[in-house]
Amino acid sequence: MMVDTSTLGRFHHQRLEFKRCLPAIITSHRTLFTVLWIAAFASVFIWQRNVVVGGFFLFGRTLPPRPIPKLRPVAFNLTDFGGVGDGVTLNTEAFERAVSAISKLGKKGGGQLNVPPGRWLTAPFNLTSHMTLFVAQDAVILGLDDEKYWPLMPPLPSYGYGREHPGPRYGSLIHGQNLKDIVITGHNGTINGQGQTWWKKYRQKRLNHTRGPLVQIMWSSDIVIADITLRDSPFWTLHPYDCKNITIRNVTILAPVTEAPNTDGIDPGK
């Protein structure tokens, strides 16, 4: 039987060529995979960086902000009461005037206070019954980080003498007590306690009273806190104390992993 040695030689030569090319093929595939992985990561990063005030970039276009729903018979904007969202102007009086106006609407179903996009600096203020505080997309309520503007309150009944210091404690940035029908919500807007200054003073032992929570509601009922971000609280972040029928859902709570002492997320108490 005759064997075509030229064919066998070509086959053997092709096998040797394939073996020599195999590392290059594998390397090229690894390179392609690496390039695709970097491109995917970069696209996510660029998408996150493209968040802008008033909406999102999508293929070079800015989408309009989400409309604020009307959740009460009467709705106000913080700007109706002189609020300025530049991150510098103090808006405490604007919040207080808005809450006062809503307090007169209880028999009509209450009122809604819309905090539009912007950075709204404020000292602590109180809520009222039958009130919805709506923090819009790209809106940030900023807590004033000077403790001189934070009122003092009696120590919590559950601790008696005080938590970090005996005697009075600082109140919360957003506070309410003996209230009914309270809603704090939004399009994942932010309430920021700017706790960095508080944490530093606490570590340096420069505070004479126990730090205050970011949001504290006491002896109240029918409360909903949803679809909002709470961050950088001076002390505990969300503290519902001796409350009934309270719902907390879709709430994002943020604080640094280190050097943010006692910034607990949710501290229900009684």
mmCIF file of all heavy atoms in Angstrom, residues 19-43:
data_model
loop_
_atom_site.group_PDB
_atom_site.id
_atom_site.type_symbol
_atom_site.label_atom_id
_atom_site.label_comp_id
_atom_site.label_asym_id
_atom_site.label_seq_id
_atom_site.Cartn_x
_atom_site.Cartn_y
_atom_site.Cartn_z
ATOM 1 N N LYS A 19 0.421 24.754 17.060
ATOM 2 C CA LYS A 19 0.970 24.789 18.412
ATOM 3 C C LYS A 19 1.743 26.077 18.667
ATOM 4 O O LYS A 19 1.717 26.631 19.753
ATOM 5 C CB LYS A 19 1.879 23.578 18.642
ATOM 6 C CG LYS A 19 1.118 22.273 18.785
ATOM 7 C CD LYS A 19 2.074 21.124 19.071
ATOM 8 C CE LYS A 19 1.322 19.812 19.275
ATOM 9 N NZ LYS A 19 2.230 18.686 19.552
ATOM 10 N N ARG A 20 2.481 26.523 17.616
ATOM 11 C CA ARG A 20 3.230 27.773 17.780
ATOM 12 C C ARG A 20 2.295 28.974 17.890
ATOM 13 O O ARG A 20 2.572 29.934 18.598
ATOM 14 C CB ARG A 20 4.191 27.945 16.603
ATOM 15 C CG ARG A 20 5.426 27.067 16.694
ATOM 16 C CD ARG A 20 6.508 27.558 15.745
ATOM 17 N NE ARG A 20 6.090 27.416 14.358
ATOM 18 C CZ ARG A 20 6.380 26.362 13.612
ATOM 19 N NH1 ARG A 20 7.074 25.361 14.115
ATOM 20 N NH2 ARG A 20 5.974 26.313 12.346
ATOM 21 N N CYS A 21 1.150 28.925 17.178
ATOM 22 C CA CYS A 21 0.209 30.062 17.181
ATOM 23 C C CYS A 21 -0.706 30.068 18.397
ATOM 24 O O CYS A 21 -1.293 31.104 18.734
ATOM 25 C CB CYS A 21 -0.652 30.024 15.919
ATOM 26 S SG CYS A 21 0.281 30.306 14.405
ATOM 27 N N LEU A 22 -0.864 28.872 19.037
ATOM 28 C CA LEU A 22 -1.831 28.763 20.136
ATOM 29 C C LEU A 22 -1.588 29.774 21.261
ATOM 30 O O LEU A 22 -2.519 30.444 21.714
ATOM 31 C CB LEU A 22 -1.827 27.335 20.688
ATOM 32 C CG LEU A 22 -2.879 27.025 21.762
ATOM 33 C CD1 LEU A 22 -4.280 27.263 21.197
ATOM 34 C CD2 LEU A 22 -2.746 25.585 22.244
ATOM 35 N N PRO A 23 -0.344 29.947 21.745
ATOM 36 C CA PRO A 23 -0.132 30.961 22.810
ATOM 37 C C PRO A 23 -0.532 32.358 22.375
ATOM 38 O O PRO A 23 -1.095 33.128 23.154
ATOM 39 C CB PRO A 23 1.373 30.858 23.092
ATOM 40 C CG PRO A 23 1.752 29.488 22.656
ATOM 41 C CD PRO A 23 0.891 29.202 21.467
ATOM 42 N N ALA A 24 -0.269 32.682 21.107
ATOM 43 C CA ALA A 24 -0.634 34.018 20.623
ATOM 44 C C ALA A 24 -2.145 34.189 20.593
ATOM 45 O O ALA A 24 -2.686 35.244 20.915
ATOM 46 C CB ALA A 24 -0.038 34.233 19.229
ATOM 47 N N ILE A 25 -2.865 33.097 20.176
ATOM 48 C CA ILE A 25 -4.332 33.167 20.142
ATOM 49 C C ILE A 25 -4.888 33.361 21.544
ATOM 50 O O ILE A 25 -5.768 34.181 21.787
ATOM 51 C CB ILE A 25 -4.910 31.893 19.490
ATOM 52 C CG1 ILE A 25 -4.513 31.826 18.016
ATOM 53 C CG2 ILE A 25 -6.425 31.850 19.635
ATOM 54 C CD1 ILE A 25 -4.881 30.512 17.345
ATOM 55 N N ILE A 26 -4.347 32.557 22.487
ATOM 56 C CA ILE A 26 -4.819 32.672 23.877
ATOM 57 C C ILE A 26 -4.537 34.063 24.416
ATOM 58 O O ILE A 26 -5.380 34.692 25.062
ATOM 59 C CB ILE A 26 -4.156 31.592 24.750
ATOM 60 C CG1 ILE A 26 -4.639 30.207 24.319
ATOM 61 C CG2 ILE A 26 -4.464 31.834 26.230
ATOM 62 C CD1 ILE A 26 -3.925 29.062 25.020
ATOM 63 N N THR A 27 -3.331 34.550 24.148
ATOM 64 C CA THR A 27 -2.965 35.891 24.625
ATOM 65 C C THR A 27 -3.874 36.950 24.025
ATOM 66 O O THR A 27 -4.323 37.866 24.715
ATOM 67 C CB THR A 27 -1.496 36.188 24.263
ATOM 68 O OG1 THR A 27 -0.669 35.202 24.851
ATOM 69 C CG2 THR A 27 -1.099 37.573 24.775
ATOM 70 N N SER A 28 -4.195 36.818 22.736
ATOM 71 C CA SER A 28 -5.066 37.808 22.094
ATOM 72 C C SER A 28 -6.466 37.780 22.689
ATOM 73 O O SER A 28 -7.098 38.816 22.861
ATOM 74 C CB SER A 28 -5.118 37.554 20.590
ATOM 75 O OG SER A 28 -5.716 36.301 20.307
ATOM 76 N N HIS A 29 -6.957 36.555 22.999
ATOM 77 C CA HIS A 29 -8.277 36.461 23.623
ATOM 78 C C HIS A 29 -8.275 37.076 25.015
ATOM 79 O O HIS A 29 -9.235 37.737 25.412
ATOM 80 C CB HIS A 29 -8.719 34.993 23.683
ATOM 81 C CG HIS A 29 -9.327 34.496 22.413
ATOM 82 N ND1 HIS A 29 -8.570 34.215 21.292
ATOM 83 C CD2 HIS A 29 -10.621 34.257 22.064
ATOM 84 C CE1 HIS A 29 -9.360 33.801 20.323
ATOM 85 N NE2 HIS A 29 -10.615 33.813 20.755
ATOM 86 N N ARG A 30 -7.207 36.844 25.763
ATOM 87 C CA ARG A 30 -7.105 37.453 27.090
ATOM 88 C C ARG A 30 -7.057 38.976 26.975
ATOM 89 O O ARG A 30 -7.691 39.695 27.752
ATOM 90 C CB ARG A 30 -5.861 36.940 27.804
ATOM 91 C CG ARG A 30 -5.997 35.503 28.293
ATOM 92 C CD ARG A 30 -4.704 35.041 28.940
ATOM 93 N NE ARG A 30 -4.827 33.680 29.475
ATOM 94 C CZ ARG A 30 -3.815 32.986 29.972
ATOM 95 N NH1 ARG A 30 -2.597 33.539 29.998
ATOM 96 N NH2 ARG A 30 -4.009 31.765 30.432
ATOM 97 N N THR A 31 -6.315 39.439 25.990
ATOM 98 C CA THR A 31 -6.242 40.891 25.777
ATOM 99 C C THR A 31 -7.608 41.454 25.423
ATOM 100 O O THR A 31 -8.028 42.501 25.947
ATOM 101 C CB THR A 31 -5.241 41.204 24.655
ATOM 102 O OG1 THR A 31 -3.960 40.666 25.008
ATOM 103 C CG2 THR A 31 -5.118 42.707 24.434
ATOM 104 N N LEU A 32 -8.325 40.740 24.526
ATOM 105 C CA LEU A 32 -9.664 41.197 24.142
ATOM 106 C C LEU A 32 -10.602 41.219 25.344
ATOM 107 O O LEU A 32 -11.359 42.172 25.538
ATOM 108 C CB LEU A 32 -10.220 40.283 23.051
ATOM 109 C CG LEU A 32 -11.650 40.603 22.562
ATOM 110 C CD1 LEU A 32 -11.700 42.008 21.971
ATOM 111 C CD2 LEU A 32 -12.103 39.561 21.549
ATOM 112 N N PHE A 33 -10.535 40.154 26.167
ATOM 113 C CA PHE A 33 -11.383 40.101 27.363
ATOM 114 C C PHE A 33 -11.055 41.249 28.313
ATOM 115 O O PHE A 33 -11.954 41.895 28.867
ATOM 116 C CB PHE A 33 -11.182 38.767 28.082
ATOM 117 C CG PHE A 33 -11.932 38.663 29.376
ATOM 118 C CD1 PHE A 33 -13.298 38.401 29.395
ATOM 119 C CD2 PHE A 33 -11.279 38.846 30.590
ATOM 120 C CE1 PHE A 33 -13.988 38.316 30.587
ATOM 121 C CE2 PHE A 33 -11.951 38.764 31.784
ATOM 122 C CZ PHE A 33 -13.325 38.501 31.779
ATOM 123 N N THR A 34 -9.761 41.514 28.481
ATOM 124 C CA THR A 34 -9.348 42.619 29.358
ATOM 125 C C THR A 34 -9.853 43.946 28.841
ATOM 126 O O THR A 34 -10.356 44.785 29.602
ATOM 127 C CB THR A 34 -7.815 42.648 29.484
ATOM 128 O OG1 THR A 34 -7.352 41.393 29.987
ATOM 129 C CG2 THR A 34 -7.370 43.773 30.414
ATOM 130 N N VAL A 35 -9.739 44.162 27.529
ATOM 131 C CA VAL A 35 -10.208 45.417 26.934
ATOM 132 C C VAL A 35 -11.707 45.571 27.123
ATOM 133 O O VAL A 35 -12.209 46.650 27.484
ATOM 134 C CB VAL A 35 -9.819 45.471 25.444
ATOM 135 C CG1 VAL A 35 -10.510 46.646 24.756
ATOM 136 C CG2 VAL A 35 -8.319 45.579 25.287
ATOM 137 N N LEU A 36 -12.462 44.467 26.881
ATOM 138 C CA LEU A 36 -13.918 44.536 27.045
ATOM 139 C C LEU A 36 -14.294 44.807 28.500
ATOM 140 O O LEU A 36 -15.228 45.562 28.784
ATOM 141 C CB LEU A 36 -14.555 43.223 26.572
ATOM 142 C CG LEU A 36 -14.493 42.963 25.061
ATOM 143 C CD1 LEU A 36 -15.038 41.573 24.746
ATOM 144 C CD2 LEU A 36 -15.268 44.031 24.308
ATOM 145 N N TRP A 37 -13.565 44.182 29.438
ATOM 146 C CA TRP A 37 -13.857 44.398 30.865
ATOM 147 C C TRP A 37 -13.599 45.848 31.249
ATOM 148 O O TRP A 37 -14.398 46.461 31.953
ATOM 149 C CB TRP A 37 -12.995 43.464 31.692
ATOM 150 C CG TRP A 37 -13.331 43.500 33.154
ATOM 151 C CD1 TRP A 37 -14.250 42.760 33.824
ATOM 152 C CD2 TRP A 37 -12.720 44.349 34.144
ATOM 153 N NE1 TRP A 37 -14.268 43.085 35.147
ATOM 154 C CE2 TRP A 37 -13.347 44.069 35.384
ATOM 155 C CE3 TRP A 37 -11.721 45.315 34.104
ATOM 156 C CZ2 TRP A 37 -12.983 44.704 36.554
ATOM 157 C CZ3 TRP A 37 -11.366 45.958 35.283
ATOM 158 C CH2 TRP A 37 -11.988 45.649 36.482
ATOM 159 N N ILE A 38 -12.484 46.408 30.785
ATOM 160 C CA ILE A 38 -12.168 47.808 31.083
ATOM 161 C C ILE A 38 -13.213 48.727 30.480
ATOM 162 O O ILE A 38 -13.655 49.705 31.105
ATOM 163 C CB ILE A 38 -10.756 48.163 30.573
ATOM 164 C CG1 ILE A 38 -9.696 47.391 31.378
ATOM 165 C CG2 ILE A 38 -10.509 49.669 30.658
ATOM 166 C CD1 ILE A 38 -8.289 47.551 30.831
ATOM 167 N N ALA A 39 -13.646 48.413 29.250
ATOM 168 C CA ALA A 39 -14.662 49.251 28.598
ATOM 169 C C ALA A 39 -15.977 49.218 29.363
ATOM 170 O O ALA A 39 -16.638 50.251 29.536
ATOM 171 C CB ALA A 39 -14.863 48.773 27.160
ATOM 172 N N ALA A 40 -16.362 48.018 29.828
ATOM 173 C CA ALA A 40 -17.612 47.917 30.602
ATOM 174 C C ALA A 40 -17.511 48.695 31.898
ATOM 175 O O ALA A 40 -18.439 49.411 32.289
ATOM 176 C CB ALA A 40 -17.924 46.443 30.873
ATOM 177 N N PHE A 41 -16.386 48.552 32.590
ATOM 178 C CA PHE A 41 -16.194 49.282 33.849
ATOM 179 C C PHE A 41 -16.214 50.790 33.603
ATOM 180 O O PHE A 41 -16.823 51.550 34.352
ATOM 181 C CB PHE A 41 -14.876 48.869 34.494
ATOM 182 C CG PHE A 41 -14.577 49.594 35.771
ATOM 183 C CD1 PHE A 41 -15.147 49.194 36.964
ATOM 184 C CD2 PHE A 41 -13.721 50.691 35.785
ATOM 185 C CE1 PHE A 41 -14.871 49.865 38.146
ATOM 186 C CE2 PHE A 41 -13.437 51.368 36.958
ATOM 187 C CZ PHE A 41 -14.022 50.951 38.137
ATOM 188 N N ALA A 42 -15.543 51.221 32.532
ATOM 189 C CA ALA A 42 -15.490 52.648 32.231
ATOM 190 C C ALA A 42 -16.858 53.197 31.896
ATOM 191 O O ALA A 42 -17.206 54.319 32.278
ATOM 192 C CB ALA A 42 -14.526 52.903 31.075
ATOM 193 N N SER A 43 -17.674 52.391 31.191
ATOM 194 C CA SER A 43 -19.010 52.868 30.840
ATOM 195 C C SER A 43 -19.863 53.078 32.079
ATOM 196 O O SER A 43 -20.618 54.046 32.171
ATOM 197 C CB SER A 43 -19.684 51.880 29.894
ATOM 198 O OG SER A 43 -19.907 50.626 30.529
#
